[in-house]
């Protein structure tokens, strides 16, 4: 596998990131986030089953038998004192911020070139919905669970400390955390990541590339109302784990006939290559193997409904990757035509603050256009004359 | 831990629900209260005049929303008994109180598959269902009931289509829940599957409320067409509101083979005995099948029952949360029906 990776890197060095560029269109609108559109070798399936070496150790081995129940209770009190009532709050999904925390900073105006932060959401289920003509479609529910900004990394530091990053040089990084958890589960180093923000350590951490004008202070909570109904988002997440799969399911091979003399080869792959000088199985050849549990980006999915009371986003379709209960990153889409379709409505920038719009927070759902609301009467069609 | 006042409130709700859905399994409800006051609707009880005014959010504390209903009851704060025996009986009483809801509103219970269980998702689904129910009266019905459904149809003359048929099966839960009606039109068996919460449905009426011996009647496909034929101009049958749901003990004689499914392997009680039509080897196979999957095994396999049902405690939790809203919706629907039947005579020419 390592030889394949160096082969890929050498390919990148030979052909370079600038080769794929079309010089006639503005670079930003070609791809606002990445330096180039270069496609990876789609045949090679990369997965890592271990954390990257640059990351801090996350989970801690617990031996609760060493502590008496009194000491355990005392630890709970210490954590409560340090972090506040957020430690006792159950999994309601709504982010808690200390009222003493000052999250105000100089606010900037939204421009068409601004890139805002995304959110981390949990896939909770699938519901049917209907449009105003009576046509049924399925929607996936994603709950924005307890999101807080953890850290901001300015563009200069990104260039210096993240040399392999493919982000454009003018972009900074916002680190977002989802789903607070008991600090006793994690190592001291991991808990230290959240000290600056003053929040409980999070189960999930993800990066979002932003323009510096979309800066948010560490500790700022993020809500489902960060998006608006009708806009398009990209969903990044891990696909469903399928285990070891054969060539028909994994690569879509057609197999061989069930009868007519076919010997023991109804679902097999057949030939794996030729002979001659390159008489070996080439790297990237499609054979049975592990399938699923890969990071994938599904672009341009529409938000049809937002529930601000429970922080739930309804996305059209069932194409959201992963099992129910898995975490996903949502961000404004990079697809230019879908961005243009909703360009007339400026999004909450840099994010949605409930204190600025208190009457809308927690009050009913917002819907995309031409979606049937269950509070409306039944759909009837009028006679055409 | 349930206090006496809350329990009394729930019982009142159930009585109101039973009045709204008269043919509910009243006989099975073992409410110990003897007061006749409970059968009267309280003057200040909530009514749904317009859905926009009344919020259909689930009440956090049921006692506060029932305050009007409980006005006749003793409002003294009874201390929660710590005696396990009284706790047990209180819990059992609560379970009995909400047993009827399980049959009248079966789609409010979620899919028991643990992979898809999520409290927030189920809560949001139930809210949507309540909102829809406040717009359209979805009556109590069972497999075997004869129903009439009016649907908005773009392609139909008058832009509506009405279909009458026997309810053959009910599938799924929540907003996906559906029911299939079967009838015979021009000598051809027709089945139409309707989503219960489809917004194009204008009206659902139960013409004859009854049950059959089986959970689904797919075997009607292999039965003579007479068993599936029902007149389209059938009028709703008025039943005694205090009577339980009648069970039609009809045993259908199936057509000779071939069948669309192996009905002899299904545990069907609504068909005549077919074992005399089976070969020896088929009879032996049937015996093995019954040994592996029959009633004796089902009653003993606790894990299977656990995996395929929602625990009673959770059912109580779900129904107690939405009982006030469901009751008020059913009451308002009844009022609207009564209003509609009266039509003022208009002058012609």
């Amino acid at each position: 596998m390592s030889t394949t990776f160096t082969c890929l890197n050498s390919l990148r060095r030979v052909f370079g990131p600038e080769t794929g560029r079309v010089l006639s269109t503005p670079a930003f609108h070609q791809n606002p986030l990445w330096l180039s559109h270069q496609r990876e070798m789609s045949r090679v399936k990369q997965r890592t089953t271990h954390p990257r070496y640059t990351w801090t150790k996350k989970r801690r081995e617990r031996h609760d038998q060493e502590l008496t129940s009194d000491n355990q209770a005392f630890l709970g009190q210490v954590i409560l004192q340090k972090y506040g009532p957020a430690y006792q709050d159950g999994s309601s999904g709504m982010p808690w911020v200390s009222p003493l925390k000052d999250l105000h900073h100089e606010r900037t105006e939204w421009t068409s070139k601004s890139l805002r932060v995304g959110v981390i959401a949990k896939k909770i289920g699938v519901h049917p919905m209907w449009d105003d003509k009576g046509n049924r479609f399925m929607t996936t529910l994603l709950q924005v669970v307890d999101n807080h900004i953890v850290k901001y990394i300015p563009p200069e530091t990104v260039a210096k400390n993240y040399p392999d990053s493919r982000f454009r040089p003018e972009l900074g990084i916002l680190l977002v955390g989802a789903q607070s958890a008991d600090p006793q589960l994690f190592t001291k180093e991991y808990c230290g990541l959240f000290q600056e923000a003053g929040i409980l350590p999070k189960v999930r951490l993800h990066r979002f590339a932003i323009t510096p004008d979309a800066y948010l202070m560490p500790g700022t909570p993020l809500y489902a109302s960060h998006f608006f109904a009708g806009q398009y988002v990209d969903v990044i997440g891990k696909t469903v784990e399928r285990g070891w799969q054969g060539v028909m399911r994994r690569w879509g091979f057609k197999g061989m006939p069930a009868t007519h003399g076919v010997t023991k080869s109804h679902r097999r792959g057949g030939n794996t290559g030729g002979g001659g000088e390159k008489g070996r199985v080439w790297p990237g050849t499609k054979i049975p193997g592990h399938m699923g549990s890969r990071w994938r980006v599904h672009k341009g999915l529409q938000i049809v409904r937002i529930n601000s009371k429970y922080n739930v986003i309804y996305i059209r379709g069932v194409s959201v990757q992963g099992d129910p209960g898995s975490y996903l990153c949502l961000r404004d889409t990079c697809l230019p035509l879908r961005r243009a379709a909703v360009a007339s409505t400026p999004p909450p920038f840099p994010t949605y603050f409930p204190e600025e719009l208190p009457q809308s927070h927690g009050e009913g759902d917002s819907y995309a256009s031409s979606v049937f609301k269950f509070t409306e009467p039944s759909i009837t069609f009028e006679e055409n004359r | 831990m349930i206090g006496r006042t809350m329990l009394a409130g729930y019982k009142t709700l159930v009585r109101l629900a039973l009045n709204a859905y008269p043919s509910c399994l009243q006989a099975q409800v073992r409410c110990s209260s003897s007061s006749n006051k409970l059968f009267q609707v309280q003057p200040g009880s909530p009514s749904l005049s317009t859905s926009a005014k009344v919020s259909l959010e689930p009440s956090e504390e049921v006692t506060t929303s029932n305050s009007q209903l409980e006005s006749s009851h003793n409002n003294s704060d009874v201390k929660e008994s710590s005696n396990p025996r009284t706790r047990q009986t209180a819990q059992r009483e609560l379970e009995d109180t909400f047993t009827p809801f399980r049959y009248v509103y079966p789609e409010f219970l979620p899919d028991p598959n643990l992979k898809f269980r999520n409290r927030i998702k189920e809560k949001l689904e139930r809210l949507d269902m309540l909102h829809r129910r406040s717009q359209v009266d979805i009556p109590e019905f069972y497999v075997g009931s004869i129903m009439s459904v009016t649907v908005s149809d773009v392609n139909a003359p008058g832009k509506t289509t009405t279909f009458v048929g026997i309810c053959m099966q009910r599938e799924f839960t929540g907003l996906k829940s559906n029911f299939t009606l079967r009838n015979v039109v021009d000598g051809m068996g027709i089945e139409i599957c309707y989503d219960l919460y489809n917004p194009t449905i204008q009206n659902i009426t139960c013409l004859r409320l009854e049950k059959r011996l089986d959970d689904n009647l797919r075997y009607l496909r292999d039965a003579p067409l007479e068993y599936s034929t029902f007149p389209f101009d059938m009028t709703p049958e008025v039943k005694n509101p205090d009577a339980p749901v009648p069970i039609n003990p009809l045993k259908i004689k199936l057509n000779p083979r071939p069948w669309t499914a192996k009905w002899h392997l299904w545990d069907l009680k609504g068909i005549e005995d077919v074992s005399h039509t089976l070969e020896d080897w088929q009879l032996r196979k049937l015996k093995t099948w019954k040994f592996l999957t029959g009633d004796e095994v089902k009653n003993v396999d606790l894990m299977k029952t656990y995996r395929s049902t929602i625990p009673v405690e959770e059912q109580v939790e779900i129904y107690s949360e939405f009982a006030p809203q469901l009751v008020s919706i059913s009451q308002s629907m009844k009022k609207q029906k009564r209003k509609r039947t009266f039509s003022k005579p208009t002058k012609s020419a």
Side-chain angles (χ1 to χ4, degrees):
Chain A
M1 205 59 206
S2 57
T3 47
T4 320
F5 210 73
T6 48
C7 175
L8 271 176
N9 276 331
S10 61
L11 274 172
R12 210 178 282 154
R13 264 184 258 121
V14 165
F15 293 108
E18 278 77 29
T19 316
R21 267 192 178 173
V22 176
L23 296 168
S24 54
T25 55
F28 176 86
H29 293 292
Q30 188 196 5
N31 194 336
L33 281 162
W34 310 114
L35 283 169
S36 71
H37 252 308
Q38 184 189 14
R39 228 168 284 162
E40 304 274 334
M41 275 173 72
S42 61
R43 296 193 297 167
V44 179
K45 296 210 160 185
Q46 293 170 347
R47 66 173 172 133
T48 49
T49 50
H50 54 83
R52 287 179 208 169
Y53 72 96
T54 49
W55 294 355
T56 51
K57 189 176 176 205
K58 187 173 173 184
R59 295 275 172 174
R60 188 193 125 220
E61 280 161 28
R62 295 181 73 170
H63 303 287
D64 284 333
Q65 295 90 343
E66 294 169 356
L67 296 172
T68 60
S69 56
D70 288 342
N71 284 343
Q72 280 180 22
F74 174 69
L75 273 179
Q77 286 297 311
V78 166
I79 297 167
L80 189 66
Q81 253 183 346
K82 188 175 179 193
Y83 291 103
Y87 179 58
Q88 274 182 339
D89 185 20
S91 58
S92 64
M94 291 303 272
W96 184 86
V97 185
S98 165
L100 303 170
K101 199 172 177 71
D102 182 24
L103 294 168
H104 294 102
H105 62 274
E106 264 184 54
R107 295 278 291 277
T108 47
E109 283 288 311
W110 176 80
T111 65
S112 60
K113 292 219 170 97
S114 307
L115 292 171
R116 340 178 270 159
V117 78
V119 299
I120 303 172
K122 191 169 157 185
K123 182 174 170 182
I124 58 173
V126 163
H127 281 182
M129 280 181 76
W130 285 266
D131 68 9
D132 55 9
K133 297 258 168 11
N135 302 313
R136 185 180 188 256
F137 59 91
M138 297 303 279
T139 53
T140 314
L141 274 72
L142 304 177
Q143 188 186 19
V144 179
V145 271
D146 207 359
N147 279 18
H148 286 100
I149 303 288
V150 176
K151 200 172 173 184
Y152 172 63
I153 303 153
E156 307 80 36
T157 321
V158 171
K160 198 169 101 182
N161 294 348
Y162 301 81
D164 290 332
S165 168
R166 291 190 297 145
F167 292 136
R168 292 182 173 279
E170 65 267 22
L171 300 179
I173 290 174
L174 269 179
L175 197 60
V176 176
Q179 189 63 73
S180 304
D182 190 352
Q184 295 178 76
L185 297 172
F186 306 110
T187 57
K188 189 178 172 186
E189 294 82 21
Y190 187 79
C191 292
L193 294 170
F194 304 91
Q195 234 169 21
E196 185 198 342
I199 52 175
L200 276 166
K202 302 285 189 183
V203 164
R204 296 293 293 219
L205 279 175
H206 283 286
R207 280 185 218 163
F208 293 97
I210 57 156
T211 45
D213 58 355
Y215 164 79
L216 286 167
M217 273 186 74
T220 312
L222 298 173
Y223 302 91
S225 308
H226 178 79
F227 301 105
F228 57 90
Q231 78 162 103
Y232 297 90
V233 287
D234 293 345
V235 180
I236 307 157
K238 262 196 172 179
T239 53
V240 169
E241 168 70 45
R242 298 192 199 274
W244 186 278
Q245 286 299 336
V247 117
M248 282 179 79
R249 192 165 290 186
R250 197 177 183 221
W251 296 113
F253 283 18
K254 290 186 74 181
M256 283 175 240
T259 54
H260 291 294
V262 173
T263 339
K264 304 197 293 186
S265 292
H266 308 289
R267 297 182 65 89
R268 294 183 68 177
N271 184 32
T272 50
E277 202 184 304
K278 298 231 174 95
R280 57 186 172 85
V281 179
W282 292 15
T285 307
K286 294 179 181 179
I287 50 175
H290 180 265
M291 182 183 173
S293 195
R294 311 283 182 182
W295 285 100
R296 289 289 179 264
V297 185
H298 288 175
K299 295 181 194 169
L301 302 179
Q302 192 186 31
I303 294 177
V304 292
R305 183 177 171 182
I306 293 178
N307 182 305
S308 44
K309 187 176 177 192
Y310 297 100
N311 259 351
V312 173
I313 299 170
Y314 292 65
I315 284 187
R316 186 185 281 258
V318 293
S319 63
V320 173
Q321 58 271 45
D323 283 312
S326 60
Y327 289 90
L328 304 145
C329 298
L330 294 179
R331 58 147 204 255
D332 299 330
T333 191
C334 62
L335 300 177
L337 295 178
R338 308 238 168 143
R339 284 173 81 91
V342 293
S344 53
T345 329
F349 191 78
T351 189
Y352 170 80
F353 293 102
E355 52 266 18
E356 286 175 17
L357 294 161
Q359 65 279 2
S360 61
H361 186 67
E363 285 287 321
D365 296 11
S366 58
Y367 295 80
S369 60
S370 78
V371 169
F372 175 78
K373 301 167 194 147
F374 289 105
T375 45
E376 290 169 355
S378 302
I379 293 169
T380 50
F381 302 111
E382 278 169 15
E383 297 238 32
N384 296 331
R385 294 257 162 165
Chain B
M1 290 289 217
I2 313 293
R4 284 277 172 85
T5 46
M6 273 180 82
L7 183 60
Y10 288 138
K11 283 183 189 167
T12 322
L13 289 170
V14 172
R15 290 291 175 194
L16 289 166
L18 296 175
N19 284 336
Y21 288 106
S23 37
C24 204
L25 291 167
Q26 203 157 352
Q28 288 191 17
V29 176
R30 291 189 275 110
C31 285
S32 54
S33 174
S34 57
S35 168
N36 279 330
K37 274 192 275 183
L38 292 170
F39 283 90
Q40 294 166 14
V41 176
Q42 299 298 325
S45 60
S47 68
L48 218 69
S49 46
T50 51
S51 58
K53 285 185 192 167
V54 180
S55 74
L56 288 171
E57 298 297 308
S59 50
E60 301 303 325
E61 268 202 314
V62 187
T63 41
T64 51
S65 64
N66 293 340
S67 55
Q68 290 160 336
L69 298 169
E70 286 178 70
S71 57
S72 65
H73 298 285
N74 184 13
N75 277 333
S76 64
D77 284 294
V78 179
K79 265 196 178 171
E80 290 163 356
S81 171
S82 55
N83 187 2
R85 193 107 183 263
T86 48
R87 232 188 299 143
Q88 235 178 17
T89 45
Q91 180 64 24
R92 212 168 283 142
E93 273 191 61
L94 209 66
E95 286 167 20
D96 291 341
T97 316
F98 287 103
T99 305
F101 283 76
R102 192 191 306 159
Y103 300 98
V104 181
Y105 309 104
E107 74 274 5
F108 274 80
L109 294 178
D111 188 353
N113 190 348
L114 281 170
K115 194 178 168 191
F116 306 123
R117 294 292 315 269
N118 183 284
R119 298 293 163 121
I120 304 290
K121 168 221 173 196
E122 284 153 23
K123 205 170 203 175
L124 290 171
E125 197 168 26
R126 276 181 235 125
L127 280 173
D128 278 342
M129 285 155 75
L130 276 181
H131 282 124
R132 180 69 191 143
R133 272 177 178 269
S134 69
Q135 299 296 330
V136 153
D137 178 34
I138 296 171
E140 177 195 5
F141 67 98
Y142 303 92
V143 168
S145 309
I146 296 153
M147 305 184 46
S148 154
V149 175
T150 312
V151 168
S152 314
D153 192 352
V154 187
N155 304 313
K159 302 292 179 189
T160 56
T161 310
T162 310
F163 188 75
V164 170
I166 183 167
C167 178
M168 223 175 63
Q169 64 183 19
R170 286 185 79 165
E171 281 189 302
F172 308 127
T173 59
L175 287 167
K176 291 180 213 152
S177 57
N178 63 27
F179 62 100
T180 315
L181 298 185
R182 182 182 165 84
N183 207 335
V184 173
V185 175
D186 291 343
M188 179 178 266
I190 306 281
E191 288 170 20
I192 303 183
C193 177
Y194 295 101
D195 283 324
L196 215 56
Y197 292 92
N198 191 322
T200 54
I201 291 178
Q202 291 181 6
N203 178 39
I204 307 178
T205 319
C206 195
L207 302 171
R208 190 194 300 167
L209 179 68
E210 65 177 13
K211 279 184 169 188
R212 286 287 181 98
L213 295 168
D214 297 310
D215 265 344
N216 78 61
L217 306 176
R218 257 176 263 164
Y219 53 79
L220 288 173
R221 292 169 189 162
D222 289 323
L225 290 175
E226 294 82 56
Y227 290 107
S228 315
T229 318
F230 301 94
F232 269 74
D233 54 4
M234 198 167 158
T235 50
E237 290 175 13
V238 180
K239 277 258 145 76
N240 181 9
D242 294 324
V245 178
I247 300 173
N248 190 344
L250 182 66
K251 288 215 179 246
I252 284 170
K253 191 180 169 65
L254 292 176
N255 289 338
R257 293 230 206 96
W259 293 331
T260 52
K262 296 174 189 171
W263 302 120
H264 57 282
L265 292 179
W266 291 45
D267 192 20
L268 295 172
K269 301 192 174 61
I271 59 170
E272 281 182 10
D273 191 31
V274 290
S275 51
H276 62 275
T277 61
L278 299 172
E279 311 253 333
D280 283 335
W281 65 270
Q282 283 176 325
L283 275 170
R284 269 182 272 125
K285 203 162 185 178
L286 180 62
K287 212 173 168 184
T288 321
W289 184 264
K290 283 215 158 102
F291 175 75
L292 292 169
T293 61
D295 280 332
E296 287 171 23
V297 178
K298 272 186 210 164
N299 293 338
V300 171
D301 195 348
L302 292 173
M303 282 314 295
K304 190 167 185 180
T305 319
Y306 179 75
R307 278 195 303 270
S308 55
T309 53
I310 305 291
V312 180
E313 293 85 8
E314 230 184 295
Q315 285 191 29
V316 163
E317 217 179 281
I318 291 166
Y319 287 123
S320 61
E321 205 184 322
F322 289 93
Q325 288 84 10
L326 285 169
V327 165
S328 66
I329 285 167
S330 61
Q331 282 179 334
S332 72
M333 286 295 162
K334 253 189 132 184
K335 263 191 199 169
Q336 280 177 34
K337 259 192 191 161
R338 271 185 250 125
K339 273 187 191 166
R340 264 191 258 120
T341 49
F342 173 71
S343 57
K344 244 183 170 175
T346 49
K347 250 192 200 174
S348 56

